[in-house]
Amino acid sequence: MSENEQPGRTEAVAESVAAVDATATEAAAAAGTAGAAEPMPAGAVPGTATAEPALESESAVPPENPSDSPAAVPAPSVPARAVLTKEPADPVTPAEPAAPAPSEGVAKLAFSIMTAAAVLLAVGAVVLGVLWRNSATDLDALRTDQSDREMAAQVAQDYTLRSLTYDYKNLPAFFSGVQTGTSDALRARYDEVHDTLAKIMTDAQVVATGQVAGTSVRAKDNDQYEVLVYATQRTSNIQQAEPVTKPNLLVVTVARSGGEWLVVDYGPKDAGDKAGAGKEGAAK
C-alpha cells in the first residue's frame, strides 16, 4: 500500500466508527421513550421492568448494521445412532451328559477279571514253556535214537559182509574179520570152532562172496539193537565149480558199550544153534 492511500483509508475507518456510535445512541433513546409511554400494569412494582416488554423492545429494534450482530452459531448436529447389526450366533448344541462313573462293584469285578486273565496268561506261558522243553527233549531223544539205529544197522551190515565173504586160501583173514568188533563171548565162540571150521573150508575149497540187500532195526534193552539183515551169498566149492547165489536171513545183535559199538550175537534167523553161524558158509 502507498503512503497517499493510507491516510484516506484511516479517515474512512474513523467515519464508520462514528456512524456506528451515532446509531447506537439513537437506538438507546428510542428504547427509553417507548418505556415511558407505556402505562405500568396494575399491581406492578415501580422500578421493576417486566420481562416480556423488554423482550419485545429488544426484538422490535433490529440492528442497524447486520455485520455488528453476532453470527448465528449452528447447533451441533447429533449423528444418528448407528444401528449395529449382529449376526445370529451358531446354535449351541447341548453337551452330552457325562457317563456315570462305574460303581465300586463294577470296578472290583473288572479288577478281578484282569487279575484272572493275568494269572491265566502266566500259567499258559509256563505250560507252553514246559511243553516246548519237553518237545525239545523228545525231539533230541528221537534224533539220538534214530542216529543209534542207523549206527547199529551199519555195524550189522559190515559184520555180515565179513562173515559171508571168505576164501579157503586165506582163512586167517576170515577169522580176523569175524572176531573184530565183537564181544568177548562171540570172539570166544569162534575160537572154539576155529580148527574144525578151518579144516572143513579147506577140504571143500570153499570160496564165497556176500552182499547185503537191506536191514531192519529193532531196539532192545540195555542199549542193544536187533538187526535183521537180508543178504545173499554167492558160493562155489570142489563139488560145485559154478558159483550159486543163495538168500540168507540173518539176525545180528549190536550193543553200544561206552563209545564203542560191538556185535554180541550173530546167526541165521530161528537157528537153534547160533554158535554154528560160522559153519553155514562152509557147509554150502
Side-chain angles (χ1 to χ4, degrees):
M1 180 182 297
S2 63
E3 293 181 358
N4 295 327
E5 292 178 353
Q6 185 174 3
R9 183 172 182 79
T10 302
E11 292 178 359
V13 171
E15 292 177 357
S16 298
V17 171
V20 170
D21 289 341
T23 305
T25 302
E26 292 177 357
T33 306
E38 292 179 357
M40 182 178 296
V45 179
T48 303
T50 60
E52 292 181 359
L55 290 176
E56 291 178 358
S57 62
E58 291 179 2
S59 60
V61 180
E64 294 292 335
N65 191 356
S67 61
D68 293 337
S69 64
V73 179
S77 62
V78 180
R81 181 175 298 179
V83 179
L84 299 179
T85 60
K86 184 176 181 182
E87 302 206 354
D90 294 337
V92 179
T93 303
E96 296 182 359
S103 63
E104 183 178 356
V106 175
K108 288 182 178 180
L109 179 59
F111 178 77
S112 300
I113 293 174
M114 289 188 293
T115 303
V119 172
L120 289 176
L121 288 176
V123 172
V126 172
V127 171
L128 288 177
V130 172
L131 292 177
W132 179 84
R133 185 161 51 251
N134 292 341
S135 299
T137 303
D138 294 342
L139 181 59
D140 292 340
L142 182 60
R143 288 174 176 173
T144 302
D145 181 67
Q146 182 64 27
S147 177
D148 291 346
R149 287 172 177 271
E150 292 176 356
M151 181 59 69
Q154 187 63 47
V155 171
Q157 178 177 331
D158 294 343
Y159 187 81
T160 300
L161 290 176
R162 295 195 303 268
S163 175
L164 297 180
T165 302
Y166 46 82
D167 190 339
Y168 73 98
K169 296 179 182 180
N170 189 12
L171 294 180
F174 166 73
F175 284 105
S176 175
V178 293
Q179 288 182 306
T180 300
T182 60
S183 63
D184 294 339
L186 184 57
R187 188 179 304 112
R189 285 165 53 186
Y190 276 104
D191 288 338
E192 293 175 359
V193 299
H194 178 276
D195 295 340
T196 305
L197 185 58
K199 185 179 184 307
I200 295 173
M201 294 172 71
T202 302
D203 293 346
Q205 299 181 5
V206 178
V207 177
T209 303
Q211 185 175 2
V212 175
T215 59
S216 176
V217 182
R218 183 174 67 90
K220 299 177 65 177
D221 296 334
N222 301 324
D223 289 334
Q224 292 188 358
Y225 294 87
E226 184 180 86
V227 183
L228 188 63
V229 181
Y230 306 90
T232 60
Q233 186 182 42
R234 182 182 175 86
T235 63
S236 65
N237 53 46
I238 193 172
Q239 297 178 355
Q240 185 176 339
E242 190 68 25
V244 178
T245 300
K246 293 183 179 180
N248 287 272
L249 186 59
L250 305 169
V251 177
V252 184
T253 302
V254 181
R256 181 175 58 184
S257 178
E260 188 178 11
W261 290 85
L262 301 175
V263 176
V264 298
D265 198 4
Y266 172 81
K269 183 176 175 55
D270 300 331
D273 187 7
K274 293 184 181 180
K279 299 179 182 179
E280 181 184 358
K284 292 181 179 180

